Each structure stands twice: as structure tokens, then as C-alpha cells.
Amino acid sequence: MVIALRTVRALTLIVGMSVLTFALMHFSPLDPITRYVSSDPRMSPEQIEKLKIRWGLDKGPVEQYFIWAGAMLRGDFGTSRLYRTPVSDIIKGRFLMSLALMGVSWVLSGVIGYGLGALAAFKRGKTSDKVIRWFSYVLVSTPAFWLALILMLVLAVWFHLFPVGLAAPAGVLDANVTFAQRLWHLALPVMTLSVIGIANVTLHTREKMVDILNSEYVLFAKARGESSWSVFWNHGFRNSVLPAITLQFAYFSELFGGSVLAEDVFSYPGLGNMLTVAGLGGDLPLFGAIVLISGVFVFLGNLVADIVCVIVDPRIRAL
Amino acid sequence: MFKKLKNMNARERMLIAAIFSGALLLAIFVLSFTISDGNLRANARIMDQGPSFSHPFGTDWLGRDMLARTMKGLRLSLMVGVVASIISVIISVILGVGSAVLGKTVDNVISWVTDLFIGMPHLIFMMLVCFMMGGGVKGIIVGVSLTHWSLLARVIRAEVLQLKNAEYMQISSSFGKSLWFIAWHHVIPYIMPQIIIRFLSVFPHAIVHEAAITFLGFGFSPQTPAIGVILSEAMAHISTGKWWLVFFPGFLLVLVAKSFDSISEQAHILLEPVSANE
């Protein structure tokens, strides 16, 4: 029941987001027709009228929205103005590239962040706790792109440990790129996103774990002679992992933003990089499609977090 | 008088954090006005110099002084940050209070809109807004304000809901005081501490996001000295190892964001009297 309600709400939010996206694009001062015409000055007024009808621009905004949303649902994202090819073709390959980047960083930042947070809580007040906390506090307000630049400067330019950019070595055919080379090129963007993502989970987990460790049931467990490890495994882990997972799912939105920045710095050919190019180039169909996909992704991520909570935590189900 | 840092209570620590951050901001402000624009002009004689006594942050490939560019960039960031934070706080107060006071239907609608804005990926939404507004300072301010009000609106709603059950609120309304009177005399003073704390904590996010969006090339023209623009230009020269172009502007941005963060954190402790003497 609760799951059904949450799902309906997530769906209405996705619809709301698509309306918002469409409205912002629709009322943008960038008129698609003028842009198109300026790239081809030989067009006559009759041709422009025809183009307007073909693109559905002669209809009212509400009707246009439904046409647009219907096409999106069918997977027809229109034709990119910059590349003159179907948007879906451009997005397909890049989506997987971004998924690889974000997926790996998401898991890494979650696991490392949780581990560091738990460690800091168990060692609270000691040097390791202070180092972890200081590290997280600084990272929380560090912009992803600056960290990316610094990592690039130190690891790629000074020490030549990693390549400076792109997803594969330049001048090598796509089919000939080895898996190791792909990993090699993925390393720096992943490192950037993971390190940025760690801070939040760490601080949150530490707080939560400190609360747990101050509780009476942990005091009792210690009195029974349980070791730190078994206190962690029997009491700490179960009570603190769920909020961490929820937080990590809610982090999807930041992750998307971070990947736009990291992809821009490392010229990594993913969705984020494409979004920047499309936005700066005024390519509305491509831009809109990527905004919509990322939004759907984030709202689904939040929905999954909600559902996981309901399934794991019986107290929410009773509501 | 001079105690060790860890022996101080929150009030004293707050004072130190505030003095440090205030001094930093003042220094940036004064420097950004006193450094003459002449330092921003290209000067072929001092191209590509590393940090030195006369140019502490080095010079770039056109011979422009990086200290001057960084300071002017930070001033712009601070200005955008202040305006955007104020606007987002105003939006969130109106919606948060409205949501709590104006009945169930309005509450549902506002909560839904709040969820929508919390869920939208912030940076991407900001790109969309900047794109729609056609760039410039205005686009950035609107974009940053629209993405930062939602969490605060939720907090304020919860606070006001709690307050609604307070006796003095009920007495005030049974005395026939208007909704406006109650909002102004009872609700606003009650949520003021939250507003101040949140304003201070929205601020670092706002300036970091402003830098991110200008870094991507949305908003300002390449001539504008904004931290994002400076860093994205420096990116082109990174493979030649000119570290000072990248390091100093970003480091100062983090320093400014961090100092605001610490003020807001101390204010949080301070405004909750129970923990102020810890």
C-alpha cells in the first residue's frame, strides 16, 4: 500500500518535471526556427511556415507539450540540431559511458564512505577520527571540478600515472581499445566522483553510529563482553546501514551534477559532456532529452530508496 | 583570556570562526576594489610567471596578475551568493509558512512542488534555467535561487507546524488577531534562528554552484573575471604544468565556502542554548 502510494507520487513528480522542463524550453528566448533559419539563410517564408507546421510550432503550448511528451514516451527524442542525427542514436552510447562512470563511483563512494564513517565513530576523539572528519568537512564544500583539476594536475601531469582525458587512447580504433585501457581512462573521473561523494555518507554514518554506540543496548552488549567487531556487526551495522543507503540513493541528483563537471574536465564522452555541448550550442532537442533522462533517473533513484526502506523497515509499513 | 582552542565553549569558538571568516571576506572585498584594473590587462613582459613576491598568485599566459583576477572573481561570486541566498530564503519562508498555515490542500500542493525541486538534479536544472534566460548574471542568480530554497522550505514547514499547537498561538487567534499579525509577531520571530542558520548554510552551496555553472561556460563571457571562467581557462593550460593558475583561485573559493560553513555550524550550536556551553 505504502509502496503503491510512493510509486504514484514518483510518477506524478516525473510528469511534473517533464512539464517544467518543457515550459522552460518553450519560453526560452532561443527560437528554434530562427536558429534553424540562421544556419540556412536561403529559406523562403513559405518554407519557414512549412517547417513550423512540421515541428508542430503552430499549435498551442499545451498541445505541443502532449505531442512532445508522447514522442518521448515512444523513445522518439527528435533530431539533434547540432549533429543532424536522431538524438536517441547520440544518447545510446553515451548513456552507457555515463552509467559506467556513475555506477562505479556510486558504489565506491558508498562503501568507502560508510566504512570511514563507522571507523570514525568507533575511534571517536582519536586522531583517526579527527583526520576523517577534517577530510570530510573540507570535501563537503569542495567543487567537483576543482578536485578534478587538482587530481589531473597531480596524477596525470606531474606523475604521469593516468591519461589526461578522453575515454580511450587517441588514434586507436574503438574496436581495438582493450578493457585495461578503458579502465585506465575511467580511473581519474571515477576517483573525482567517488572522493566527492564520500564526505556526505561519512559524516552521516559517523553521527548515526555515535548515537548507536552511546545507546544502552550497546553498553549492555559491551558488559556482556562483546568485542568491538561484534558490537559493530550485531548492533551498529544493522541500525546504520539503512539510512546510509537511503542517503546514497538520494545522492543520485548530486552525482549527476558531479558527472557533468567531471566529464567536462576529462573530456569523457558521456551524457554530461553532451549536455554541456548541447546547452552551449543551443541544441534544444538534445538538451531537453538529456535533462529529462537525468530527471527520470533521479526520481526513480529516490523511489527505489523509499521502497528499500519500506521493505527493510517494518515500522514504515504500519503507517 | 587565551585558552586553548579545545577548552573553549561554542560561543568562544564561534567568535573566533566569525572573526577569521569576517577578516577573510573583508580582505577579499578590500583587495578586489583596491587592486587596479590595470593588473587585468594583458602584459607580454610578465607572461607565465610562477608565484613571486610581486605576483603572489603568479601570472597567466597573457601576463594578467592572477591575484587580481581571483579577487575580482571572488567578489562576483560573493555578490551572486548573497543575492541568490536571500531570494531562496524568501521563497522558502513564504512557501514553508504558507504550507503550514493555509490548510491541507495548499500544503499538499506546496509539498509536491517542494519534492519536485528537491528531486530535480540541481546542476542540470541550473543549466536549464541559464539556458532559458540566455546567460548572464540574471540567469545564474535565478538558477541558483530556484534550486536552493526547497530543503529550507521543508524545515520551516515542520517548525511552523510544531508552533501551531503552541498555546500562545491559539490564544492569539481566539483574541481575533489576523493571520498576518500572527505570522509577523509569532511565527517569524520563532523561525528567525532557522532562517539565519540556513541563510549561512545556503551561501557556500550557492557560490560553489555559481562557480560550477560558469566553469561549464553558461552565463558569463570569457572576459569576466569569475572563478569558474578563470578555472576553465586554466584547464587549457594544465598540461604544461602551470599549477598556480588552477590551485589558487579554487583554493580561495573553498576557503570562502568553508569559512561560511563553519560560521553557520557555530551559529547552529549557539542558537540552541542547551549546547552553547559545551
Side-chain angles (χ1 to χ4, degrees), chain B residues 127-170:
Chain B
M127 286 164 82
L128 187 63
V129 172
C130 282
F131 178 74
M132 176 225 155
M133 308 268 297
V137 181
K138 208 170 60 178
I140 290 175
I141 288 177
V142 172
V144 176
S145 323
L146 280 181
T147 45
H148 285 80
W149 60 268
S150 41
L151 279 174
L152 174 58
R154 212 183 244 179
V155 172
I156 288 180
R157 174 179 170 271
E159 293 267 314
V160 177
L161 275 182
Q162 237 180 12
L163 184 68
K164 259 172 85 178
N165 296 324
E167 276 184 350
Y168 62 87
M169 289 279 282
Q170 285 159 2

Side-chain angles (χ1 to χ4, degrees), chain A residues 9 12-17 20-21 24-25 27-30 136-138 140-146 149-150 152-153 157-158 164 253-254 256-258 260-261 264-265 272 275-276 278-284 287 290-291 294-295 298-299 302, chain B residues 108 111-113 115-125 127-129 131-134 204-205 208-209 211-213 215-218 227-228 231-232 234-235 238-244 246-254 257-258 261 265:
Chain A
R9 190 172 177 86
T12 61
L13 284 172
I14 287 175
V15 172
M17 181 210 52
L20 191 66
T21 307
L24 282 176
M25 293 200 307
F27 296 111
S28 126
L30 295 171
S136 312
Y137 274 131
V138 172
V140 162
S141 38
T142 304
F145 63 92
W146 189 61
L149 286 172
I150 294 295
M152 183 151 98
L153 184 71
V157 178
W158 284 353
V164 171
S253 140
E254 291 282 312
F256 251 101
V260 172
L261 294 167
D264 188 66
V265 172
L275 184 71
T276 317
L280 293 177
D283 189 345
L284 270 178
F287 191 72
I290 299 177
V291 170
S294 59
V298 169
F299 281 110
N302 292 345
Chain B
N108 282 336
S111 296
W112 186 82
V113 174
D115 276 4
L116 184 64
F117 277 82
I118 289 177
M120 282 290 277
H122 284 178
L123 190 73
I124 291 172
F125 187 65
M127 286 164 82
L128 187 63
V129 172
F131 178 74
M132 176 225 155
M133 308 268 297
H205 282 269
V208 166
H209 271 139
I213 199 95
F215 178 75
L216 290 174
F218 289 81
I227 296 291
L231 286 175
S232 88
M235 190 166 69
I238 200 168
S239 50
T240 52
K242 289 176 203 133
W243 58 274
W244 59 91
V246 171
F247 178 73
F248 290 116
F251 180 71
L252 251 80
L253 182 74
V254 174
K258 204 64 245 160
D261 230 22
E265 212 166 285

